Amino acid sequence: MQIDTSSNARISAVLGPTNTGKTYLALERMMAHGTGMIGFPLRLLARENYDRVVKIKGPDQVALITGEEKILPPHARYFLCTVESMPVDHTVDFLAIDEIQLCADPERGHIFTDRLINAHGQAETMFMGSQSIAPLIRRLIPDVQFDQRPRFSKLTYTGSKKITRLPNRSAIVAFSASEVYAIAELIKRQKGGAAVVLGALSPRTRNAQVGLYQAGEVDYIIATDAIGMGLNMDVDHVAFAALSKFDGHQMRRLQAPELAQIAGRAGRYMTDGTFGVTADCPPLDPEIIDRLESHEFDNIEQIYWRNSRLRFTSVDTLQMDLRRAPQTHGLIRPRIPEDEITLDFLSKNPDVIKYANHPKAVKLLWDVCQIPDFAKTMSDSHPRLLGQIYQHLSTHKNMLPTDWVAGHVQRLDRTDGDIDTLTQRLAGIRTWTYISQRSKWLVDPLHWQDITRQIEDKISDALHEQLTKRFVDRRTSALMKKLKDKDDLLAAVTKSGDVLVEGHFVGRLEGFHFAADETDNPHAKRAVNAAALKALRQEMDRRVAAFEDEKDEAFNLRDDAYILWRGTPCARLYKGNDALSPRLETLAFDLIEDGLRDRVKARLSKWLDHYIRHTLKPLFDLETAKLNGPARGVIFQLREGLGTLARKQALDLIRDIESKDRKTLRKYGVIIARHSIYCPKLLKAAAVRLRADLWTLYHQPDIAPVYPASGLMSFVAQPDTPRLFYEQIGYQMYGNRCLRVDMAERIAELAWEKTKKRPADINADFTSLAGCSVTVMADILRRMGYHIEKSADTLKVQRKKAHIKKKKKANPTRQRPVRIDPDSPFAQLKDWKK
């Protein structure tokens, strides 16, 4: 079988690998003629090139014809079609078929072979595809002129890499939806997101996913071999995650030309590309690698052919014609195509076959059998639907009942559900979109074309959204794109501290520290941090100025030595020259420069100085008190003790303090008592807390002491806490019991008064002062130097016998001057008696 080339029409075969400009050349040649037609392997490609030609020639001059879409202006001169939908009976000056090597495809090859043999233009015919089909074209078309085109860019094998180590702008190819989804999930976790492309997606969904990749919102695209045709993308690297696929009948290894078609997606125009395999994929054979790099493949020896000259006198005759064997060397019968399988299925259905009793009815049955199964479920649901369609057409004057069509279409008009549900629904509506293009089958075909297209678009958009939601971190991808493009980022901080960059919540600004929103992958975290830091630096001037204007109430000191600004750490204290002078250092902030940091430190230093001086005011007021040496020595030791000093540590100095200095000390709030020297104001909760913080910071014990609860008069000391800690925050130790110094003095005074003449019961008068039990109080009094005795069910306290004997030895007739301790509360009684 050969094409009749007796006319002067030019026939050419423009052959070469991907990225050689073959399609561009065909479009140019078509538009140079008065009329033209190009058949593409995919609806996607037909639509893309239709849009290109419309921009040049205008919509009135260009038609689009696919199984699911027809745009047919009355005076159209240029036709962009899928190969299956080409109106080959329409005469044009120029005709071209793209990807002509698909003549060797087991499923669709017979369609391409029919176009190769039977379709031609009056002035020029062009076939574009792989060099491997050249011998067969030469055999079938002796006068064909060959134009071999080299690839614009170089393709290089780079070996095996883990998926997570693949470079940006990579396409990862798998051969099942489950594999594609699993890889996309991994890429999302590790890299922020990926686009996905599968054959089951509609062109609209596929284009939307590719759009994510092309726009730079994601750097990876995960696809089946659907990526091999019809998708022009800026891919730098193609990685095969598998080398075998299920072809509808069996698992088989991909052939070198198939690998080349996919690998050729890497590198566009003059940009070189690379290809390789993932770590879980078997390595490529060195011979295959050489072929892919040099674009040299075994010639195609056989292509698929099916008789297209069909008779419709009966179903049996039709089936016989379809099964006719080719008579030309190099042409072979395909495995039974889907439409033939459907015809065989329906021919066994008596409810269907009874209507196929004349040529028009047989032709109608064949037309129905050619409705594609977009779902590819390999079940009998699709043939059963086609059987119903044929019966309705046969019993309703070749028209489908409107209510019946509406019921099927409306059931699909939903956008809820997961990815699998939407994919199945999309396949269903694509079937009805295809049917709506058969205008003679519907009462109002334009209405149904519009309805089905709207539903298909809605489901496509919903599926794109679901795929994006599942496999893309939109926030990360948007921020990455802005950063990559070096665009200025718009940032805002809400009153609650939420940070928005380009409208996306990215974290919280806590003080001067940016706390990024928790994300489950490091790539996304880096992107969010980078975007936030870049955008927030402009916010820092304003924030530091507001910080400087804050009132002191906005700051506080935490027990771990961190200074908080409205609850957020912004600085830390370290050991200074003495306990009352800690060293302040601001925390490391990524958002503020050194100049701003100095302003922050100055404001905090001012607050800290005021906070310590205000909280421990008596200690600092004493610095200006006019006192002589002994009194000043006591004050020095009192400051070192952070406001508390055991009397026994300064007995000599106390003995030498002059009366006027004692009055001055009382004026400044210093009490010289029986056991301690202290300032009552420094026993308030805030002062005790600060004294504890300063002691811990200065002494830096191995084990941090446990601070007493606010307002406790006594408590059990922690075994690992140094005694000095409790003493310097205002408590005295009695065994393992800590008693606040003012309460200790009151208890001692009370015991002295009550035991003047006889033992006294240890009752609530005592225990209420310490907030403890009678037993604990008895132990405290014993450690103060009193004798404890049991009497019936009570405990009594009395002065020790040594004190009593000493009194008995004294001469009662001799009046000795009584020396009154000027610091005793009874000193005032002496003056009052006078």
Side-chain angles (χ1 to χ4, degrees):
M1 181 182 295
Q2 295 182 348
I3 293 179
D4 180 8
T5 58
S6 58
S7 69
N8 293 325
R10 181 177 185 270
I11 302 177
S12 63
V14 182
L15 305 178
T18 57
N19 189 25
T20 57
K22 298 185 294 292
T23 303
Y24 181 80
L25 174 65
L27 290 172
E28 277 195 329
R29 294 298 305 148
M30 180 185 74
M31 289 185 285
H33 290 279
T35 59
M37 182 187 302
I38 302 179
F40 294 98
L42 296 173
R43 172 187 173 192
L44 190 71
L45 269 176
R47 180 78 208 204
E48 180 183 303
N49 288 290
Y50 164 79
D51 293 336
R52 287 181 182 177
V53 179
V54 164
K55 288 181 181 178
I56 299 172
K57 294 295 186 178
D60 295 340
Q61 300 292 311
V62 190
L64 173 68
I65 305 177
T66 71
E68 301 160 72
E69 189 173 15
K70 285 185 175 65
I71 301 174
L72 277 170
H75 304 292
R77 296 165 54 207
Y78 303 103
F79 296 79
L80 290 306
C81 319
T82 52
V83 171
E84 286 84 349
S85 300
M86 292 175 69
V88 290
D89 56 347
H90 186 79
T91 302
V92 291
D93 297 329
F94 174 88
L95 186 142
I97 308 294
D98 194 16
E99 304 292 356
I100 195 63
Q101 78 278 358
L102 288 180
C103 289
D105 182 74
E107 293 184 15
R108 304 172 64 203
H110 62 280
I111 304 292
F112 283 79
T113 300
D114 180 73
R115 303 297 184 257
L116 173 68
I117 296 172
N118 298 318
H120 59 88
Q122 285 189 313
E124 183 177 357
T125 303
M126 180 183 291
F127 304 110
M128 300 91 75
S130 169
Q131 181 67 31
S132 60
I133 200 172
L136 266 173
I137 293 179
R138 184 179 286 109
R139 184 188 308 162
L140 294 171
I141 312 171
D143 295 333
V144 67
Q145 300 176 28
F146 287 96
D147 179 3
Q148 186 172 350
R149 297 214 151 198
R151 181 178 166 91
F152 290 133
S153 60
K154 184 179 178 182
L155 192 61
T156 306
Y157 181 67
T158 58
S160 174
K161 287 185 180 178
K162 287 184 177 181
I163 289 176
T164 54
R165 299 285 182 87
L166 291 173
N168 289 351
R169 313 310 293 168
S170 286
I172 306 171
V173 182
F175 295 99
S176 71
S178 59
E179 286 180 300
V180 167
Y181 293 160
I183 295 171
E185 292 274 13
L186 174 62
I187 291 293
K188 179 185 178 182
R189 289 195 302 271
Q190 298 294 326
K191 301 289 189 177
V196 296
V197 170
L198 305 96
L201 304 183
S202 68
R204 184 182 181 94
T205 306
R206 235 187 282 186
N207 282 339
Q209 285 290 300
V210 171
L212 283 177
Y213 176 83
Q214 287 294 91
E217 293 185 43
V218 294
D219 280 322
Y220 299 87
I221 188 163
I222 321 301
T224 61
D225 49 349
I227 196 176
M229 292 182 200
L231 294 174
N232 296 313
M233 301 172 293
D234 300 324
V235 174
D236 295 335
H237 181 78
V238 169
F240 290 93
L243 299 176
S244 299
K245 62 177 283 188
F246 182 73
D247 63 3
H249 294 268
Q250 62 183 356
M251 285 296 297
R252 66 173 180 82
R253 196 171 176 85
L254 272 75
Q255 301 297 314
E258 294 174 300
L259 293 170
Q261 185 73 31
I262 299 169
R265 296 294 115 188
R268 301 305 303 166
Y269 193 48
M270 303 300 290
T271 303
D272 293 339
T274 58
F275 69 99
V277 295
T278 63
D280 297 329
C281 179
L284 279 170
D285 185 271
E287 182 183 352
I288 297 292
I289 295 171
D290 290 341
R291 289 185 178 187
L292 267 61
E293 289 182 338
S294 60
H295 315 294
E296 295 178 359
F297 307 105
D298 293 339
N299 292 329
I300 296 173
E301 300 293 337
Q302 295 177 321
I303 58 176
Y304 294 99
W305 175 88
R306 185 175 72 176
N307 181 27
S308 60
R309 296 179 180 179
L310 305 175
R311 295 170 295 170
F312 300 102
T313 53
S314 69
V315 172
D316 290 339
T317 301
L318 173 60
Q319 290 176 313
M320 183 178 64
D321 286 347
L322 288 168
R323 293 168 186 160
R324 179 183 168 191
Q327 303 300 311
T328 303
H329 178 68
L331 303 184
I332 60 172
R333 276 273 300 156
R335 61 190 179 207
I336 303 176
E338 181 184 299
D339 50 11
E340 284 188 52
I341 294 173
T342 302
L343 179 62
D344 290 342
F345 179 87
L346 295 181
S347 67
K348 296 179 177 65
N349 185 340
D351 293 333
V352 172
I353 202 65
K354 68 181 180 181
Y355 297 108
N357 51 16
H358 57 84
K360 284 187 177 180
V362 175
K363 175 66 168 62
L364 177 62
L365 177 60
W366 179 236
D367 289 343
V368 170
C369 289
Q370 291 181 292
I371 298 173
D373 179 11
F374 293 101
K376 303 292 182 185
T377 57
M378 293 185 290
S379 68
D380 62 1
S381 59
H382 182 69
R384 288 184 184 281
L385 173 64
L386 299 192
Q388 294 174 18
I389 290 173
Y390 179 69
Q391 290 178 70
H392 282 303
L393 290 172
S394 299
T395 56
H396 293 83
K397 298 181 180 180
N398 288 352
M399 303 291 283
L400 294 174
T402 300
D403 291 345
W404 183 77
V405 173
H408 278 276
V409 171
Q410 288 171 4
R411 280 195 294 271
L412 297 169
D413 189 10
R414 294 172 56 188
T415 57
D416 59 307
D418 58 15
I419 290 173
D420 290 338
T421 302
L422 289 171
T423 301
Q424 293 171 10
R425 206 174 288 149
L426 181 59
I429 197 62
R430 289 180 71 185
T431 297
W432 288 100
T433 301
Y434 185 96
I435 292 169
S436 72
Q437 297 298 327
R438 309 304 297 262
S439 57
K440 294 181 180 180
W441 291 358
L442 298 165
V443 174
D444 188 352
L446 292 179
H447 167 76
W448 290 112
Q449 287 168 18
D450 184 54
I451 292 294
T452 55
R453 175 52 48 79
Q454 288 180 20
I455 295 173
E456 181 182 331
D457 288 349
K458 281 196 297 183
I459 298 174
S460 296
D461 292 342
L463 180 55
H464 168 64
E465 190 62 33
Q466 286 282 2
L467 290 169
T468 303
K469 186 185 298 183
R470 179 171 171 183
F471 301 121
V472 179
D473 184 339
R474 295 301 295 267
R475 177 188 66 184
T476 303
S477 62
L479 296 179
M480 285 295 292
K481 185 176 185 301
K482 284 283 187 179
L483 288 171
K484 190 181 299 181
D485 296 341
K486 298 183 178 179
D487 292 342
D488 289 335
L489 294 168
L490 300 177
V493 182
T494 66
K495 289 182 179 180
S496 63
D498 290 350
V499 179
L500 306 177
V501 178
E502 296 293 325
H504 297 280
F505 172 77
V506 297
R508 292 180 56 80
L509 193 58
E510 299 172 348
F512 298 106
H513 172 69
F514 172 67
D517 185 33
E518 286 300 320
T519 181
D520 58 1
N521 71 83
H523 182 80
K525 190 170 185 178
R526 286 194 297 271
V528 168
N529 272 320
L533 295 181
K534 180 177 179 182
L536 285 175
R537 284 193 174 91
Q538 57 193 341
E539 165 77 9
M540 287 304 104
D541 280 335
R542 186 199 66 77
R543 200 164 184 84
V544 170
F547 178 85
E548 291 176 311
D549 292 338
E550 285 278 28
K551 295 182 178 179
D552 284 352
E553 291 75 14
F555 308 104
N556 65 287
L557 177 64
R558 202 163 66 185
D559 291 342
D560 58 2
Y562 283 92
I563 297 177
L564 308 184
W565 172 34
R566 297 194 177 277
T568 301
C570 56
R572 191 181 189 282
L573 299 183
Y574 296 89
K575 181 178 181 179
N577 295 328
D578 59 57
L580 293 173
S581 305
R583 178 169 55 89
L584 181 148
E585 294 292 343
T586 59
L587 300 184
F589 303 121
D590 294 328
L591 296 174
I592 59 178
E593 307 297 337
D594 289 343
L596 295 177
R597 190 187 307 278
D598 291 342
R599 289 166 57 186
V600 170
K601 185 174 182 178
R603 176 66 184 94
L604 290 174
S605 297
K606 181 180 178 182
W607 168 82
L608 178 64
D609 182 67
H610 177 266
Y611 172 61
I612 294 175
R613 286 180 172 274
H614 175 75
T615 308
L616 306 181
K617 189 174 185 297
L619 291 181
F620 292 93
D621 287 348
L622 287 167
E623 291 178 343
T624 60
K626 294 181 179 180
L627 297 168
N628 292 320
R632 189 153 296 282
V634 169
I635 295 308
F636 177 80
Q637 291 187 58
L638 189 64
R639 279 177 58 89
E640 283 193 329
L642 296 176
T644 304
L645 177 64
R647 183 182 177 115
K648 63 185 178 182
Q649 292 178 344
L651 282 176
D652 293 339
L653 291 172
I654 294 171
R655 195 177 296 116
D656 295 334
I657 295 176
E658 299 177 4
S659 177
K660 65 173 184 176
D661 286 342
R662 290 178 184 272
K663 290 181 180 180
T664 301
L665 289 173
R666 284 196 298 272
K667 175 184 174 184
Y668 280 89
V670 178
I671 302 296
I672 302 177
R674 287 175 177 272
H675 302 284
S676 303
I677 303 172
Y678 65 96
C679 298
K681 290 184 178 180
L682 297 182
L683 298 176
K684 292 182 178 180
V688 170
R689 202 77 182 174
L690 178 56
R691 293 165 69 182
D693 289 337
L694 294 175
W695 187 95
T696 303
L697 186 64
Y698 186 74
H699 291 278
Q700 299 179 344
D702 294 335
I703 299 176
V706 178
Y707 293 11
S710 177
L712 277 185
M713 301 304 170
S714 75
F715 55 89
V716 177
Q718 294 292 322
D720 296 326
T721 300
R723 181 186 185 95
L724 183 63
F725 169 75
Y726 293 121
E727 291 176 348
Q728 293 200 354
I729 65 171
Y731 290 83
Q732 286 185 346
M733 296 283 291
Y734 296 95
N736 68 343
R737 194 80 185 180
C738 295
L739 183 63
R740 209 171 74 180
V741 293
D742 58 338
M743 293 299 107
E745 296 297 341
R746 289 180 62 181
I747 290 169
E749 196 68 40
L750 179 64
W752 187 261
E753 289 297 321
K754 284 199 171 192
T755 58
K756 277 183 178 180
K757 297 179 179 179
R758 64 183 65 85
D761 289 341
I762 302 176
N763 54 23
D765 292 343
F766 288 96
T767 58
S768 62
L769 293 175
C772 65
S773 67
V774 170
T775 304
V776 171
M777 179 53 65
D779 185 64
I780 291 173
L781 290 169
R782 183 170 55 251
R783 293 177 184 277
M784 284 184 173
Y786 289 91
H787 177 72
I788 306 298
E789 63 178 28
K790 274 193 175 184
S791 176
D793 294 331
T794 62
L795 290 174
K796 292 182 178 291
V797 58
Q798 67 177 20
R799 298 183 188 183
K800 286 190 176 180
K801 293 180 180 180
H803 296 156
I804 299 171
K805 286 178 182 178
K806 191 174 181 180
K807 285 187 176 182
K808 285 181 179 180
K809 290 178 181 179
N811 186 354
T813 61
R814 184 179 175 183
Q815 295 292 329
R816 295 180 62 187
V818 179
R819 183 181 178 185
I820 299 176
D821 187 344
D823 296 315
S824 168
F826 298 104
Q828 295 182 5
L829 293 176
K830 167 180 168 291
D831 295 336
W832 178 72
K833 286 180 181 179
K834 291 180 181 179

